[in-house]
Amino acid sequence: MFTPRAFAETDLQWLDALFARDAFITLLTTGDDGLPELTRLPVLYRRQGQAIELRGHWARANPQSRRDGPAKVLVDGPHGYVSASWYPDKDAMARVPTWNYAAAELRGQLHRFEDTDALAAVVADTGDLYEAKVGRDWQFEAQRDDHRSQLRGIIGFRFVVDTVQLKIKLSQNHPVANQQAVITELERLPSPASHELAQWMRRFLDAPDTARD
């Protein structure tokens, strides 16, 4: 992922925030033909200090479910258009429009598994996490034959992260007056996505400088 120095971030709190916002990733591997193959899927995120691991599962029919070894994960964050007309110094500095966003690229190693208990755990943990988010209480019941039999249709994986590349492009290369003006204009738009982007910009602007390189 091309990341100019102004937008490179090393504080892993922003990776935590990306996964807390939306743990629906793009998993990239290399196919037998040498071309990229990808799957969009939800994962369970765990970080302890610098150690990061994702867990998830594929449909067994997915060719990617045969992969072990090097892989990449793309994580999407909020994003949106920024009009040059919003900048107070637009004329003096001949400003142009841009697109603000937050994203991450993770590189690491895939470890697939078919152990029934491990598959049951990843399905149960995923269900518990997202049922709570929608205020429901469905549970995967591993002791039920009709639940457990469905595990035959999936392959599990662990993705152990080696490197993290965080790109936080939230107008921080502009004067504070421009950043504040963009936040105000985004908040005026009738779009929840724009409001979310404004919130991230405000959070980043208010973050201590010691949290960033």
Side-chain angles (χ1 to χ4, degrees), residues 75-210:
V75 190
D76 298 323
H79 63 92
Y81 178 75
V82 174
S83 171
S85 67
W86 296 345
Y87 301 129
D89 64 356
K90 58 184 179 297
D91 295 325
M93 300 299 293
R95 298 295 188 185
V96 295
T98 192
W99 203 275
N100 276 2
Y101 59 94
E105 177 185 311
L106 312 179
R107 299 187 183 200
Q109 299 292 318
L110 273 175
H111 304 276
R112 64 194 298 278
F113 58 84
E114 299 185 59
D115 175 77
T116 301
D117 289 339
L119 289 173
V122 76
V123 172
D125 291 347
T126 302
D128 290 347
L129 175 64
Y130 289 102
E131 284 291 310
K133 289 179 182 291
V134 299
R136 296 292 180 172
D137 59 0
W138 177 89
Q139 289 185 316
F140 178 80
E141 300 175 54
Q143 71 277 12
R144 285 179 50 171
D145 290 341
D146 56 347
H147 277 200
R148 202 167 181 86
S149 67
Q150 296 187 54
L151 299 176
R152 292 194 293 268
I154 64 173
I155 302 290
F157 67 84
R158 293 170 52 244
F159 179 72
V160 180
V161 177
D162 295 327
T163 61
V164 176
Q165 187 178 6
L166 277 165
K167 186 173 184 178
I168 309 295
K169 183 178 179 292
L170 298 176
S171 298
Q172 67 266 42
N173 58 325
H174 280 258
V176 170
N178 282 6
Q179 296 178 56
Q180 293 173 332
V182 171
I183 291 170
T184 298
E185 294 297 338
L186 287 169
E187 290 175 338
R188 287 176 179 166
L189 296 175
S191 162
S194 296
H195 299 168
E196 182 190 20
L197 182 59
Q199 291 170 1
W200 274 62
M201 287 187 64
R202 192 180 299 282
R203 177 178 171 185
F204 193 83
L205 183 60
D206 292 342
D209 290 341
T210 53

Side-chain angles (χ1 to χ4, degrees), residues 12 16 45 47-52:
L12 292 179
D16 297 342
Y45 169 74
R47 179 171 75 86
Q48 294 181 314
Q50 300 294 310
I52 302 166

